[in-house]
Amino acid sequence: MTMRAIVADHAGGPEVLEMRRVAVPEPGSGELLVETAAAGVNFIDTYRRSGAYSVPFPYTPGTEASGRVVAAGDGVEGFAEGDLITTAEGRDCYADRFAVEADRAVRVPDGVAADAAAALPLQGITAHYLATSAAQPQAGEAVLVHAGAGGVGLLLTQLLVRRGVRVITTASTPEKRELSRGAGADEVLDYGGFADRARELTGGEGVAVVYDGVGRSTFDDSLRALRVRGELVLFGAASGPVPPFDLQRLNAGGSLSITRPSIGHFLRTPEERAWRYRELFGAIADGGLDVRIGARFPLAEAAEAHTALESRATTGKVILEP
Ligand code: NDP
């Protein structure tokens, strides 16, 4: 049996992504086969497609998707055919069907639509671990979140605000600034001069934490925006990777810390995974977390979806629908 999938034969720009017919994957032992309802588009898919992160080719992007279980491999317990599941840890998800280890899939609660379920896992789990684990800002402290209208940015802002943290964000256009304010940001800044402005807004002290997924273009000023003993959480490189760095600058800036976290290190056990999903779905259910789908593309237009994400044209989540 065959299905449609997006395939790249080699690294390159979005144009390397082509629609093909390929064999439907067989669910291995402990795996589910899922009919894709929607697949999430993420920056990591673009890093892999472009060759910035190395992957074997031919390459089908996508680790995040939702859909209904159509088959299960040996030894799977706790899932039945027809269950709506979602995951941030699937493989080859830009396709009509995808396989995922059952213990990396979660059942979607009633009341959460299939498209929202695809939009939540990767950016939602990221926002959750950034707010709770990579740094632990306290109620009343001020933090700075870059790209506040982006997928991670909107979710992270809402989760921090729920915890009583004062959130200052950056965003590049008036529309994005409005969206970020709607997510609860106290102040939304232009990128120009953001470090000085963040300092002014904190009585000259600086912020406790900067969450920086933009990377090269913001890194230096992110350090300057921190208070003494502040923490820089560098979690991405939307503008490019940060060049090598002299550790002495952390001392000069006021005994600062930097961490460079990755989602996989914050989903270490079944209990940790269950806790993060439980808190995210709980926040959706009580109305405290809005998952914004900013753009939808048909599966065949995966290249256009990558172009939109890389060119800063999107807000919230980008999804592909078969
Ligand atoms: P976003 O929706 O936030 O899109 C990226 C945003 O970054 C853009 O919309 C843009 O917002 C801003 N940006 C600033 N400069 C540039 C530039 N030169 N090119 C492109 N964008 C730029 O994406 P995600 O929410 O999916 O991801 C945000 C970051 O988080 C990425 O770097 C991603 O790799 C990282 N990430 C890291 C994870 C981890 O575990 N470490 C997991 C998930 C994501 P504006 O126009 O307002 O500046």
Side-chain angles (χ1 to χ4, degrees), residues 127 151-164 167 180 182-185 287-292:
V152 174
L154 285 173
L155 297 170
L156 177 58
T157 300
Q158 293 175 79
L159 293 182
L160 288 166
V161 168
R162 272 169 81 83
R163 301 170 78 83
V167 181
S180 179
L289 186 66
D290 177 46
V291 182
R292 178 185 164 81

PDB file of all heavy atoms in Angstrom, residues 127 151-164 167 180 182-185 287-292:
ATOM      1  N   ALA A 127       7.569  25.296  25.611  1.00  0.00           N
ATOM      2  CA  ALA A 127       7.191  26.426  26.471  1.00  0.00           C
ATOM      3  C   ALA A 127       7.110  25.972  27.928  1.00  0.00           C
ATOM      4  O   ALA A 127       7.550  26.679  28.840  1.00  0.00           O
ATOM      5  CB  ALA A 127       5.855  26.994  26.007  1.00  0.00           C
ATOM      6  N   GLY A 151       5.310  30.781  17.666  1.00  0.00           N
ATOM      7  CA  GLY A 151       4.663  29.603  18.239  1.00  0.00           C
ATOM      8  C   GLY A 151       5.039  29.406  19.698  1.00  0.00           C
ATOM      9  O   GLY A 151       4.181  29.364  20.587  1.00  0.00           O
ATOM     10  N   VAL A 152       6.339  29.275  19.968  1.00  0.00           N
ATOM     11  CA  VAL A 152       6.785  29.112  21.353  1.00  0.00           C
ATOM     12  C   VAL A 152       6.461  30.381  22.147  1.00  0.00           C
ATOM     13  O   VAL A 152       5.987  30.313  23.286  1.00  0.00           O
ATOM     14  CB  VAL A 152       8.295  28.802  21.426  1.00  0.00           C
ATOM     15  CG1 VAL A 152       8.772  28.783  22.877  1.00  0.00           C
ATOM     16  CG2 VAL A 152       8.608  27.462  20.756  1.00  0.00           C
ATOM     17  N   GLY A 153       6.691  31.536  21.540  1.00  0.00           N
ATOM     18  CA  GLY A 153       6.548  32.811  22.257  1.00  0.00           C
ATOM     19  C   GLY A 153       5.157  33.015  22.848  1.00  0.00           C
ATOM     20  O   GLY A 153       5.016  33.396  24.021  1.00  0.00           O
ATOM     21  N   LEU A 154       4.118  32.754  22.061  1.00  0.00           N
ATOM     22  CA  LEU A 154       2.749  32.969  22.558  1.00  0.00           C
ATOM     23  C   LEU A 154       2.426  32.007  23.703  1.00  0.00           C
ATOM     24  O   LEU A 154       1.796  32.391  24.694  1.00  0.00           O
ATOM     25  CB  LEU A 154       1.730  32.759  21.427  1.00  0.00           C
ATOM     26  CG  LEU A 154       1.620  33.874  20.382  1.00  0.00           C
ATOM     27  CD1 LEU A 154       0.706  33.434  19.233  1.00  0.00           C
ATOM     28  CD2 LEU A 154       1.089  35.171  21.007  1.00  0.00           C
ATOM     29  N   LEU A 155       2.852  30.744  23.566  1.00  0.00           N
ATOM     30  CA  LEU A 155       2.548  29.746  24.604  1.00  0.00           C
ATOM     31  C   LEU A 155       3.366  30.020  25.867  1.00  0.00           C
ATOM     32  O   LEU A 155       2.844  29.969  26.987  1.00  0.00           O
ATOM     33  CB  LEU A 155       2.843  28.331  24.069  1.00  0.00           C
ATOM     34  CG  LEU A 155       1.975  27.898  22.870  1.00  0.00           C
ATOM     35  CD1 LEU A 155       2.516  26.599  22.272  1.00  0.00           C
ATOM     36  CD2 LEU A 155       0.520  27.711  23.285  1.00  0.00           C
ATOM     37  N   LEU A 156       4.646  30.338  25.692  1.00  0.00           N
ATOM     38  CA  LEU A 156       5.523  30.595  26.843  1.00  0.00           C
ATOM     39  C   LEU A 156       5.021  31.817  27.625  1.00  0.00           C
ATOM     40  O   LEU A 156       4.990  31.802  28.866  1.00  0.00           O
ATOM     41  CB  LEU A 156       6.958  30.804  26.348  1.00  0.00           C
ATOM     42  CG  LEU A 156       8.014  31.162  27.383  1.00  0.00           C
ATOM     43  CD1 LEU A 156       8.107  30.105  28.483  1.00  0.00           C
ATOM     44  CD2 LEU A 156       9.390  31.326  26.702  1.00  0.00           C
ATOM     45  N   THR A 157       4.633  32.857  26.902  1.00  0.00           N
ATOM     46  CA  THR A 157       4.131  34.054  27.588  1.00  0.00           C
ATOM     47  C   THR A 157       2.931  33.696  28.459  1.00  0.00           C
ATOM     48  O   THR A 157       2.861  34.062  29.641  1.00  0.00           O
ATOM     49  CB  THR A 157       3.734  35.122  26.538  1.00  0.00           C
ATOM     50  OG1 THR A 157       4.883  35.450  25.762  1.00  0.00           O
ATOM     51  CG2 THR A 157       3.198  36.382  27.208  1.00  0.00           C
ATOM     52  N   GLN A 158       1.982  32.936  27.877  1.00  0.00           N
ATOM     53  CA  GLN A 158       0.777  32.590  28.648  1.00  0.00           C
ATOM     54  C   GLN A 158       1.117  31.747  29.871  1.00  0.00           C
ATOM     55  O   GLN A 158       0.572  31.971  30.955  1.00  0.00           O
ATOM     56  CB  GLN A 158      -0.211  31.835  27.752  1.00  0.00           C
ATOM     57  CG  GLN A 158      -0.784  32.693  26.625  1.00  0.00           C
ATOM     58  CD  GLN A 158      -1.654  31.860  25.686  1.00  0.00           C
ATOM     59  OE1 GLN A 158      -2.797  31.559  25.984  1.00  0.00           O
ATOM     60  NE2 GLN A 158      -1.107  31.481  24.542  1.00  0.00           N
ATOM     61  N   LEU A 159       2.032  30.774  29.714  1.00  0.00           N
ATOM     62  CA  LEU A 159       2.371  29.904  30.859  1.00  0.00           C
ATOM     63  C   LEU A 159       3.083  30.701  31.961  1.00  0.00           C
ATOM     64  O   LEU A 159       2.858  30.480  33.148  1.00  0.00           O
ATOM     65  CB  LEU A 159       3.251  28.732  30.410  1.00  0.00           C
ATOM     66  CG  LEU A 159       2.588  27.710  29.475  1.00  0.00           C
ATOM     67  CD1 LEU A 159       3.572  26.584  29.146  1.00  0.00           C
ATOM     68  CD2 LEU A 159       1.318  27.119  30.087  1.00  0.00           C
ATOM     69  N   LEU A 160       3.952  31.631  31.562  1.00  0.00           N
ATOM     70  CA  LEU A 160       4.663  32.435  32.566  1.00  0.00           C
ATOM     71  C   LEU A 160       3.697  33.363  33.291  1.00  0.00           C
ATOM     72  O   LEU A 160       3.759  33.515  34.523  1.00  0.00           O
ATOM     73  CB  LEU A 160       5.783  33.242  31.890  1.00  0.00           C
ATOM     74  CG  LEU A 160       6.995  32.433  31.411  1.00  0.00           C
ATOM     75  CD1 LEU A 160       7.858  33.266  30.472  1.00  0.00           C
ATOM     76  CD2 LEU A 160       7.829  31.951  32.602  1.00  0.00           C
ATOM     77  N   VAL A 161       2.794  33.984  32.534  1.00  0.00           N
ATOM     78  CA  VAL A 161       1.841  34.923  33.141  1.00  0.00           C
ATOM     79  C   VAL A 161       0.968  34.183  34.157  1.00  0.00           C
ATOM     80  O   VAL A 161       0.682  34.690  35.242  1.00  0.00           O
ATOM     81  CB  VAL A 161       1.004  35.629  32.050  1.00  0.00           C
ATOM     82  CG1 VAL A 161      -0.184  36.371  32.648  1.00  0.00           C
ATOM     83  CG2 VAL A 161       1.880  36.598  31.245  1.00  0.00           C
ATOM     84  N   ARG A 162       0.577  32.940  33.817  1.00  0.00           N
ATOM     85  CA  ARG A 162      -0.203  32.120  34.767  1.00  0.00           C
ATOM     86  C   ARG A 162       0.541  31.914  36.074  1.00  0.00           C
ATOM     87  O   ARG A 162      -0.052  31.687  37.115  1.00  0.00           O
ATOM     88  CB  ARG A 162      -0.444  30.717  34.180  1.00  0.00           C
ATOM     89  CG  ARG A 162      -1.658  30.569  33.333  1.00  0.00           C
ATOM     90  CD  ARG A 162      -1.602  29.240  32.618  1.00  0.00           C
ATOM     91  NE  ARG A 162      -2.018  28.082  33.417  1.00  0.00           N
ATOM     92  CZ  ARG A 162      -3.262  27.706  33.604  1.00  0.00           C
ATOM     93  NH1 ARG A 162      -4.244  28.404  33.098  1.00  0.00           N
ATOM     94  NH2 ARG A 162      -3.569  26.634  34.313  1.00  0.00           N
ATOM     95  N   ARG A 163       1.861  31.905  36.008  1.00  0.00           N
ATOM     96  CA  ARG A 163       2.673  31.696  37.216  1.00  0.00           C
ATOM     97  C   ARG A 163       3.000  33.014  37.919  1.00  0.00           C
ATOM     98  O   ARG A 163       3.811  33.043  38.838  1.00  0.00           O
ATOM     99  CB  ARG A 163       3.974  30.970  36.848  1.00  0.00           C
ATOM    100  CG  ARG A 163       3.720  29.623  36.187  1.00  0.00           C
ATOM    101  CD  ARG A 163       4.982  29.026  35.601  1.00  0.00           C
ATOM    102  NE  ARG A 163       5.829  28.428  36.610  1.00  0.00           N
ATOM    103  CZ  ARG A 163       5.677  27.197  37.092  1.00  0.00           C
ATOM    104  NH1 ARG A 163       4.743  26.425  36.607  1.00  0.00           N
ATOM    105  NH2 ARG A 163       6.480  26.732  38.020  1.00  0.00           N
ATOM    106  N   GLY A 164       2.435  34.108  37.431  1.00  0.00           N
ATOM    107  CA  GLY A 164       2.629  35.398  38.094  1.00  0.00           C
ATOM    108  C   GLY A 164       3.889  36.126  37.683  1.00  0.00           C
ATOM    109  O   GLY A 164       4.280  37.127  38.297  1.00  0.00           O
ATOM    110  N   VAL A 167       6.057  39.464  32.071  1.00  0.00           N
ATOM    111  CA  VAL A 167       6.682  39.107  30.794  1.00  0.00           C
ATOM    112  C   VAL A 167       6.795  40.332  29.882  1.00  0.00           C
ATOM    113  O   VAL A 167       5.807  40.996  29.588  1.00  0.00           O
ATOM    114  CB  VAL A 167       5.868  38.003  30.077  1.00  0.00           C
ATOM    115  CG1 VAL A 167       6.548  37.610  28.759  1.00  0.00           C
ATOM    116  CG2 VAL A 167       5.716  36.778  30.971  1.00  0.00           C
ATOM    117  N   SER A 180       1.053  39.524  20.828  1.00  0.00           N
ATOM    118  CA  SER A 180       1.848  39.232  22.020  1.00  0.00           C
ATOM    119  C   SER A 180       1.211  39.872  23.251  1.00  0.00           C
ATOM    120  O   SER A 180       1.144  39.254  24.318  1.00  0.00           O
ATOM    121  CB  SER A 180       3.281  39.733  21.809  1.00  0.00           C
ATOM    122  OG  SER A 180       4.054  39.479  22.947  1.00  0.00           O
ATOM    123  N   GLY A 182      -1.916  40.399  23.581  1.00  0.00           N
ATOM    124  CA  GLY A 182      -3.109  39.576  23.847  1.00  0.00           C
ATOM    125  C   GLY A 182      -2.783  38.313  24.631  1.00  0.00           C
ATOM    126  O   GLY A 182      -3.629  37.767  25.335  1.00  0.00           O
ATOM    127  N   ALA A 183      -1.552  37.828  24.503  1.00  0.00           N
ATOM    128  CA  ALA A 183      -1.146  36.622  25.247  1.00  0.00           C
ATOM    129  C   ALA A 183      -0.751  36.954  26.681  1.00  0.00           C
ATOM    130  O   ALA A 183      -0.451  36.054  27.465  1.00  0.00           O
ATOM    131  CB  ALA A 183       0.023  35.951  24.534  1.00  0.00           C
ATOM    132  N   GLY A 184      -0.733  38.261  27.017  1.00  0.00           N
ATOM    133  CA  GLY A 184      -0.468  38.647  28.401  1.00  0.00           C
ATOM    134  C   GLY A 184       0.835  39.385  28.629  1.00  0.00           C
ATOM    135  O   GLY A 184       1.186  39.670  29.775  1.00  0.00           O
ATOM    136  N   ALA A 185       1.562  39.697  27.544  1.00  0.00           N
ATOM    137  CA  ALA A 185       2.824  40.436  27.740  1.00  0.00           C
ATOM    138  C   ALA A 185       2.514  41.807  28.332  1.00  0.00           C
ATOM    139  O   ALA A 185       1.583  42.486  27.914  1.00  0.00           O
ATOM    140  CB  ALA A 185       3.557  40.586  26.413  1.00  0.00           C
ATOM    141  N   GLY A 287      -9.198  27.313  30.181  1.00  0.00           N
ATOM    142  CA  GLY A 287      -9.270  28.575  29.440  1.00  0.00           C
ATOM    143  C   GLY A 287      -8.019  29.430  29.584  1.00  0.00           C
ATOM    144  O   GLY A 287      -7.971  30.566  29.105  1.00  0.00           O
ATOM    145  N   GLY A 288      -6.971  28.895  30.204  1.00  0.00           N
ATOM    146  CA  GLY A 288      -5.774  29.689  30.451  1.00  0.00           C
ATOM    147  C   GLY A 288      -4.689  29.540  29.392  1.00  0.00           C
ATOM    148  O   GLY A 288      -3.621  30.133  29.505  1.00  0.00           O
ATOM    149  N   LEU A 289      -4.955  28.728  28.370  1.00  0.00           N
ATOM    150  CA  LEU A 289      -3.943  28.561  27.315  1.00  0.00           C
ATOM    151  C   LEU A 289      -4.647  28.458  25.973  1.00  0.00           C
ATOM    152  O   LEU A 289      -5.405  27.525  25.713  1.00  0.00           O
ATOM    153  CB  LEU A 289      -3.110  27.299  27.567  1.00  0.00           C
ATOM    154  CG  LEU A 289      -1.919  27.104  26.614  1.00  0.00           C
ATOM    155  CD1 LEU A 289      -0.871  28.203  26.826  1.00  0.00           C
ATOM    156  CD2 LEU A 289      -1.275  25.735  26.824  1.00  0.00           C
ATOM    157  N   ASP A 290      -4.375  29.464  25.137  1.00  0.00           N
ATOM    158  CA  ASP A 290      -4.958  29.489  23.803  1.00  0.00           C
ATOM    159  C   ASP A 290      -3.875  29.052  22.815  1.00  0.00           C
ATOM    160  O   ASP A 290      -2.777  29.597  22.831  1.00  0.00           O
ATOM    161  CB  ASP A 290      -5.422  30.925  23.507  1.00  0.00           C
ATOM    162  CG  ASP A 290      -5.987  31.052  22.108  1.00  0.00           C
ATOM    163  OD1 ASP A 290      -6.785  30.187  21.723  1.00  0.00           O
ATOM    164  OD2 ASP A 290      -5.608  32.011  21.401  1.00  0.00           O
ATOM    165  N   VAL A 291      -4.191  28.033  22.007  1.00  0.00           N
ATOM    166  CA  VAL A 291      -3.218  27.550  21.012  1.00  0.00           C
ATOM    167  C   VAL A 291      -3.595  28.182  19.671  1.00  0.00           C
ATOM    168  O   VAL A 291      -4.605  27.812  19.071  1.00  0.00           O
ATOM    169  CB  VAL A 291      -3.260  26.008  20.909  1.00  0.00           C
ATOM    170  CG1 VAL A 291      -2.212  25.516  19.907  1.00  0.00           C
ATOM    171  CG2 VAL A 291      -3.030  25.377  22.273  1.00  0.00           C
ATOM    172  N   ARG A 292      -2.792  29.127  19.236  1.00  0.00           N
ATOM    173  CA  ARG A 292      -3.142  29.858  18.014  1.00  0.00           C
ATOM    174  C   ARG A 292      -2.547  29.189  16.779  1.00  0.00           C
ATOM    175  O   ARG A 292      -1.321  29.037  16.668  1.00  0.00           O
ATOM    176  CB  ARG A 292      -2.599  31.282  18.113  1.00  0.00           C
ATOM    177  CG  ARG A 292      -2.869  32.098  16.868  1.00  0.00           C
ATOM    178  CD  ARG A 292      -2.223  33.469  16.926  1.00  0.00           C
ATOM    179  NE  ARG A 292      -2.184  34.055  15.586  1.00  0.00           N
ATOM    180  CZ  ARG A 292      -3.191  34.658  15.011  1.00  0.00           C
ATOM    181  NH1 ARG A 292      -4.338  34.795  15.631  1.00  0.00           N
ATOM    182  NH2 ARG A 292      -3.072  35.146  13.786  1.00  0.00           N
TER     183      ARG A 292
END
